[in-house]
Amino acid sequence: MNKQETLFNYILRIADSQLILGHRLSEWTGHGPMLEEELASANTALDLIGQANSLYAYATQVEGKGRTEDDLAYLRSEREFFNHLLSEQPRGDFGFSMLRQMLCDAFDVLFYSALMKSSDNTLSGIAAKAYKESQYHLRHSSSWTERLGDGTEESHQRMQNSLNELWRFTDDLFAMRAADLELVNTGIAVDTSSFREAWFKQVSEVLERATLTIPTHAFMQKGSLEGRHTEHLGYLLAEMQSLHRAIPGVKW
Amino acid sequence: MENTKDSQGLVWEVFVQKKPGQPYVHCGNVHAHDAEMALQNARDVYTRRNEGNALWVLPSSEIVASSPEDLGSFFEPANDKIYRHPTFYQLPESISHM
Amino acid sequence: MDATALAANFENKLAKNENIEPKDWMPDNYRKHLIRQISQHAHSEVVGMLPEGNWITRAPSLRRKMVLLAKVQDEGGHGLYLYSAAETLGISREELLHQLLSGKAKYSSIFNYPTLSWADMGAIGWLVDGAAIMNQVMLQRTSYGPYARAMVRICKEESFHQRQGYEIMSVLAAGSPEQKAMAQDALNRFWWPTLMMFGPSDANSANSENAIKWKIKRESNDQLRQRFVNQTIPQAELIGLTIPDAQLKWNEAKQGYDFGEPDWEEFNQVIHGNGPCNKERLGARLKAHDDGKWVREAAAAYASKRKLVAA
């Protein structure tokens, strides 16, 4: 893999994660627990899909083969998607979605804050904007995590179940390709291990306030960087890409 | 039919400051169960089009309002105090701004 | 003030085109009419999220996906502003939602039609929002202050909704034969239900007379419908789509189009629960409400715990 391909794949990793997470969150529109919350979820989803859009645009430039943002989003199969396993999990109940969001948002805040210092100006620019967005996302998802974790007996139990279910996908957030280290060395990419402890500390604090316990026996799942996903991504893409693929090559 | 009524939280009034230095203007309300939720809901509902620089939220029940019956006694007495306005005063013609 | 003086004061305000405000005296029937109208309007926005929400996950490009999501989100916001306006009349959101979810309250019949293709997103934005805007522009001058203020905000936000719909239709109409057929099919299916949105003909509209008298409405159903038709025909012609009405004809004398009569029997059936999607729409909102119950309960419990801790 040459440096250009490495960078292309690196950008796709970020873009895919945000698109899939935004897509999942957008599924709440029209189905939320309160009207206010449907607006809030849509706001976060729009931020995430917007980030994906900017990142895909940059990826097409880096690739230089004349593909468009939509080609990348709509014409790749699940084996070619590199999104975090966490992002593709079905939305579950509202607490499940908020907890997943909190785990991802805490990652995004730290990731983007590091990527803002990238020697690649386009990436640092996208990261600077996304960093601010993520800060609000995290505030929103953490407060819901706390509220629902420390709400009623039922809500606590639901949240603990969700945490038990989700925790096994958290290692995968930090996965990196060997080739990415080259990008790290040239100051373009972020070494995720550099903020892993900070992430754990931050997430632990929120979960503690939410009176939730991190499971100790979770067997960590991996594979997203090789395009090995859970079964859920295939269905998500089948739905998302169906119309775009049904009438190929036209303008929408 | 089961009872579908349950808590939508308190009503909170929302005031938005559009730009620094400008007054906070009432723009509507949101439902929320706690203050942080009210603040976030206000942000998510009322500042989606770049309308915001700062926000206030407060429980609607805390607002004390005048009544329509107060109209005469509260506000009409201010009608004839024309000496409170600068146009009440005459200046020499040579002074155009004061 | 005695009852006669209060009533005279109310009439006087209407005559001077002054707004009625929540604390002002108002006739019971005026209050009832407003609660009914504003809450129906709010329910329509909230139920109206569903037919378009149906395509958010399948929107054919990233741009369309973001625009549609933002638009459906706006509708939720508009429902929220309108529930707020209704609440100023002394009814809670809990009660309003109960009326909707128990099937007691009505909402716009248009949202009981299915969205079968992507072109329906175009047809809804262009036609349904176009028709709604006619009504909403008028309602910015409605006599009840909180309702009028909500409408001002809504109209401002709605301004992109119709454009994005027409843009979708234009692109499809100029696209592949398959896309163009999709656009024409959407127009065929949404045209008549859109005309029904303005309500029955003035002669047969139960609530029209009072609404006009109280300056809640300022134009009749027929006037608004006529204006909508006049405005929409040239837009359809411009992008090469055909309005599915054999009786459609320019009338030089009235400087407007003559057009056919919608099927009012169908309208009545849909309003009374027998449209293609009534059960699905209400079912979806009811499910959201039920699924969210534990969330709202937890939020309330959390808040009261915190108060105890703080004390």
Side-chain angles (χ1 to χ4, degrees), chain C:
Chain C
M1 259 193 266
D2 66 13
T4 339
L6 285 169
N9 195 27
F10 172 80
E11 295 293 342
N12 193 24
K13 278 195 168 188
L14 287 186
K16 287 194 289 187
N17 282 327
E18 279 177 19
N19 280 338
I20 309 300
E21 291 297 332
K23 286 190 153 194
D24 290 344
W25 182 90
M26 61 188 87
D28 277 349
N29 284 336
Y30 177 83
R31 185 185 299 274
K32 271 189 211 146
H33 184 107
L34 276 171
I35 290 177
R36 192 182 49 79
Q37 182 173 331
I38 300 173
S39 63
Q40 276 183 17
H41 197 161
H43 300 327
S44 300
E45 295 281 356
V46 169
V47 175
M49 296 171 79
L50 298 168
E52 289 174 288
N54 188 31
W55 281 88
I56 291 173
T57 53
R58 290 179 290 171
S61 72
L62 292 169
R63 176 172 179 266
R64 293 288 177 211
K65 196 182 188 71
M66 289 189 276
V67 169
L68 185 62
L69 180 52
K71 177 182 188 271
V72 177
Q73 182 197 43
D74 272 352
E75 280 151 16
H78 299 170
L80 194 153
Y81 309 154
L82 289 162
Y83 282 132
S84 289
E87 282 185 292
T88 62
L89 291 157
I91 186 165
S92 66
R93 192 196 287 183
E94 283 90 339
E95 176 63 31
L96 292 165
L97 285 176
H98 176 68
Q99 290 178 358
L100 172 68
L101 298 172
S102 61
K104 243 174 74 186
K106 287 182 194 155
Y107 55 86
S108 180
S109 58
I110 192 82
F111 301 118
N112 290 316
Y113 290 88
T115 50
L116 303 176
S117 81
W118 170 251
D120 292 9
M121 300 305 99
I124 290 181
W126 173 37
L127 302 173
V128 175
D129 287 293
I133 289 165
M134 294 261 140
N135 213 9
Q136 292 176 164
V137 164
M138 168 190 77
L139 287 170
Q140 292 182 95
R141 295 178 297 127
T142 191
S143 59
Y144 186 57
Y147 193 20
R149 289 192 285 276
M151 292 320 304
V152 169
R153 192 177 184 91
I154 289 172
C155 284
K156 212 167 92 189
E157 296 189 355
E158 286 259 349
S159 51
F160 91 83
H161 292 187
Q162 195 186 10
R163 283 183 182 213
Q164 67 85 35
Y166 190 61
E167 189 190 78
I168 290 174
M169 286 304 247
S170 319
V171 169
L172 293 176
S176 71
E178 210 174 345
Q179 284 178 305
K180 183 161 187 182
M182 198 189 267
Q184 183 62 53
D185 173 58
L187 172 56
N188 293 350
R189 281 181 290 110
F190 276 92
W191 177 253
W192 293 108
T194 302
L195 292 192
M196 294 176 199
M197 283 174 69
F198 295 98
S201 188
D202 300 329
N204 305 318
S205 175
N207 299 305
S208 262
E209 199 184 322
N210 275 337
I212 298 260
K213 181 183 86 185
W214 287 324
K215 297 192 177 175
I216 294 172
K217 280 184 73 161
R218 288 171 179 271
E219 284 174 286
S220 74
N221 296 351
D222 287 332
Q223 279 172 316
L224 291 168
R225 185 167 20 241
Q226 180 71 56
R227 181 160 342 123
F228 173 78
V229 170
N230 291 350
Q231 175 191 290
T232 308
I233 308 302
Q235 295 168 353
E237 283 170 354
L238 190 68
I239 56 175
L241 296 179
T242 312
I243 304 285
D245 179 356
Q247 285 168 269
L248 194 73
K249 205 174 156 227
W250 176 253
N251 180 331
E252 189 62 32
K254 76 171 181 189
Q255 286 294 299
Y257 288 89
D258 291 332
F259 54 96
E261 193 68 26
D263 180 351
W264 292 113
E265 174 53 22
E266 177 182 316
F267 176 76
N268 280 326
Q269 289 295 335
V270 178
I271 280 283
H272 291 105
N274 300 321
C277 296
N278 294 58
K279 285 188 186 67
E280 287 81 353
R281 299 295 184 240
L282 214 51
R285 283 317 315 191
L286 198 54
K287 182 171 188 313
H289 186 83
D290 289 347
D291 289 351
K293 193 169 195 282
W294 71 273
V295 175
R296 295 186 299 274
E297 282 170 359
Y302 174 85
S304 60
K305 266 191 217 175
R306 293 290 134 151
K307 266 177 213 151
L308 288 178
V309 172

